[in-house]
Amino acid sequence: MAPEGQDVHVPVQQLRPHPLNREIYGSEEIDPELLDDIRESGKIYTPLMIVPDGRVVCGHRRLECAILCGHLTVPCRVQHDLVTE
């Protein structure tokens, strides 16, 4: 992974949702506007926030939309200072 604060493109298969995401937010439905935007532009403008082991802390819906659009990598910002438990 990259040094903290730098944006890098990470293969989607190396990322996994944080286990508390569903507990906190419940079942998140795909936002059709977000999906259309990513599909039309081919880009994710706001990087996902992840911790060094590849757990997604912020950006679960962006990741799901990117996967549905066939993206092999997504922009991520690695945060080394977050406590993920």
Side-chain angles (χ1 to χ4, degrees):
M1 291 287 164
E4 182 167 0
Q6 287 187 359
D7 294 346
V8 294
H9 280 266
V10 178
V12 295
Q13 59 269 58
Q14 290 182 9
L15 300 173
R16 63 188 192 284
H18 193 286
L20 293 177
N21 186 63
R22 285 205 190 270
E23 185 178 321
I24 293 170
Y25 297 105
S27 177
E28 291 187 47
E29 293 185 22
I30 297 296
D31 179 347
E33 289 181 25
L34 178 61
L35 182 61
D36 288 343
D37 183 56
I38 293 172
R39 186 174 285 137
E40 289 173 14
S41 70
K43 297 179 182 180
I44 296 174
Y45 293 102
T46 304
L48 284 66
M49 185 181 304
I50 65 171
V51 291
D53 68 1
R55 280 183 285 176
V56 177
V57 176
C58 180
H60 293 85
R61 290 186 298 161
R62 281 172 273 159
L63 176 59
E64 289 301 318
C65 288
I67 291 169
L68 288 173
C69 291
H71 289 230
L72 300 178
T73 65
V74 291
C76 296
R77 181 165 295 154
V78 181
Q79 296 295 134
H80 295 269
D81 61 343
L82 294 178
V83 176
T84 61
E85 289 77 24

